[in-house]
Amino acid sequence: MTTIYLIRHAEAEGNLYRVAQGQHESSLTDRGWRQVKALERRFADIHIDAVYASDLYRTRATATAVYRPKNLPLHRCPGLREICVGDWEGRTWGDIARATPQAMADFGSRMDRWSIPGAETPAEVLERVRRAVEDIARENPGKTLALFSHGYAIRLLLANLQGISLRDTGEKSPTGDNTAVSLLEWDGERLRVVFANDNSHLKTPEYLAGEKPTRAKRAFALEPGLWFRPLEGPEAQERLSAAWAEAGGPVPAASLTLEGLLDEEPVGLLHMAPETGRIHLAYIRPDCRRRGLGVQLMGQAVLRTRERGGDTLSAVLAPGHPGEAYLRDCGFDPRGEEAGLTLWQKSIGFDPTI
């Protein structure tokens, strides 16, 4: 009997920033790295013979929880990749829900009829992932394996192995949490689900000690967020001046101003220079704060800077400024002074050793 631990990747940028990741590369969040440590503790006393992961960065990074402590090589397997979502890749869920609401609904609830330009169909993903898992099992008879994959791909496979159709997967087979662990057995002919989507390692005192009480879990995996549009000319200047009236001081020049909207309601502004990664303003309307929207502005800063080859974000604030808490929550650290202000920085590069 071959034993297979099937594990979803840790929280990645797309999960936090409300962006459709698909096969788009993204890094892990600070919470994601804490989940990796929780996985490492879970598997510390479990014998593993071999570790496989999708070749996307977020799964390879998550797999470090198992293969590095056990001094095992990591086998990269493209067959374990997440679904390619075609035209949706890298777009915010808010933008997708606004532009294609029926397709958005079908993606989570009616996999049998979801199809968009340039994407794999769920049926194709199911065939690919099941074939990859079965091939790996055949190559490792009698061994214990750890396989790292993605939420949608794992959801499709678990439902299929439990006799749930594509039509009913949305209703009867939920998406597991980030780093959820499922256990499969392979008897040489077929796969069997022993248990699915266990997240007990995220309920330990060690993990919960790092959780922020105010950070609520989303109501559902594909909950839409903001969509963004560029602002230019007088309209941009007018909106920026109003936002900066609260921050104080003149509006600095920058090459990009994005407005974040919830449905059709403007709720925030991002004003920055993506060519250097310098953020001048990340603003959420006062009545819309503490709803998890500000981090989506930071997500756009990450994506826009990385697109231009940058690997660092920066901002400056007066010492003691209320915005320090926001920057810390977004993963920034103070790195010295600049013209009497505190310089805050955040690395957004990928670890070349992973």
Side-chain angles (χ1 to χ4, degrees):
M1 187 72 70
T2 301
T3 301
I4 301 170
Y5 290 97
L6 182 61
I7 306 158
R8 187 186 176 195
H9 65 78
E11 184 182 77
E13 291 170 336
N15 304 128
L16 179 61
Y17 300 151
R18 311 312 307 129
V19 171
Q21 295 177 110
Q23 296 185 3
H24 185 84
E25 285 287 31
S26 61
S27 190
L28 299 186
T29 65
D30 291 343
R31 172 186 266 182
W33 283 113
R34 289 194 300 102
Q35 292 170 343
V36 169
K37 292 300 295 182
L39 268 183
E40 182 177 337
R41 290 190 291 268
R42 175 174 184 152
F43 280 90
D45 297 322
I46 297 176
H47 175 77
I48 299 292
D49 293 298
V51 181
Y52 291 77
S54 134
D55 58 340
L56 297 177
Y57 183 87
R58 57 192 185 271
T59 42
R60 301 193 330 257
T62 307
T64 62
V66 177
Y67 79 84
R68 284 185 172 175
K70 299 181 184 298
N71 295 313
L72 294 169
L74 176 65
H75 302 280
R76 300 186 186 190
C77 178
L80 296 175
R81 276 189 170 204
E82 183 61 291
I83 183 172
C84 171
V85 292
D87 291 351
W88 288 6
E89 297 266 339
R91 290 170 59 189
T92 68
W93 288 116
D95 179 38
I96 293 166
R98 176 175 176 267
T100 52
Q102 187 58 58
M104 173 78 171
D106 289 345
F107 186 67
S109 63
R110 284 294 302 271
M111 286 81 157
D112 57 313
R113 66 188 184 193
W114 183 81
S115 178
I116 65 167
E120 293 177 284
T121 66
E124 289 170 338
V125 177
L126 171 59
E127 180 182 2
R128 164 171 62 77
V129 174
R130 181 160 185 166
R131 182 171 61 249
V133 173
E134 290 179 347
D135 286 348
I136 291 169
R138 288 190 187 96
E139 294 167 5
N140 295 275
K143 295 182 179 180
T144 300
L145 312 173
L147 275 57
F148 291 81
S149 187
H150 303 259
Y152 202 81
I154 292 174
R155 184 183 188 187
L156 293 170
L157 178 62
L158 292 177
N160 179 258
L161 294 178
Q162 295 175 95
I164 301 171
S165 69
L166 272 179
R167 186 188 190 284
D168 294 335
T169 294
E171 179 183 350
K172 298 181 179 180
S173 183
T175 301
D177 289 340
N178 290 110
T179 68
V181 178
S182 300
L183 182 62
L184 312 179
E185 288 182 342
W186 168 259
D187 63 6
E189 294 184 2
R190 61 183 61 85
L191 291 165
R192 180 177 76 91
V193 179
V194 179
F195 63 76
N197 297 326
D198 181 79
N199 67 349
S200 55
H201 54 286
L202 302 182
K203 299 178 181 179
T204 64
E206 295 95 331
Y207 177 76
L208 292 175
E211 284 288 87
K212 294 181 175 64
T214 58
R215 185 172 170 190
K217 183 176 178 179
R218 293 186 303 275
F220 55 97
L222 300 180
E223 183 180 354
L226 302 180
W227 61 279
F228 295 88
R229 64 184 179 190
L231 288 180
E232 299 177 343
E235 183 181 19
Q237 194 61 40
E238 179 182 349
R239 303 283 181 88
L240 284 168
S241 296
W244 271 87
E246 179 180 333
V251 182
S255 59
L256 178 66
T257 303
L258 291 178
E259 182 172 50
L261 298 95
L262 190 61
D263 296 322
E264 301 300 316
E265 183 72 15
V267 299
L269 288 172
L270 174 68
H271 185 58
M272 69 171 301
E275 61 275 9
T276 63
R278 174 58 62 93
I279 298 169
H280 296 295
L281 178 69
Y283 173 83
I284 293 293
R285 215 172 64 195
D287 61 317
C288 294
R289 293 172 186 170
R290 301 188 181 279
R291 293 167 56 182
L293 302 177
V295 73
Q296 296 179 48
L297 295 179
M298 196 58 64
Q300 291 300 304
V302 170
L303 297 176
R304 306 288 175 141
T305 300
R306 195 179 283 150
E307 284 173 357
R308 290 160 175 80
D311 60 7
T312 304
L313 294 180
S314 66
V316 291
L317 290 176
H321 191 282
E324 288 182 350
Y326 169 68
L327 291 180
R328 285 191 187 278
D329 198 44
C330 289
F332 285 72
D333 293 310
R335 298 289 176 82
E337 293 186 1
E338 187 177 294
L341 302 174
T342 303
L343 174 65
W344 294 77
Q345 290 186 329
K346 172 184 174 68
S347 174
I348 61 170
F350 295 103
D351 184 342
T353 68
I354 291 175

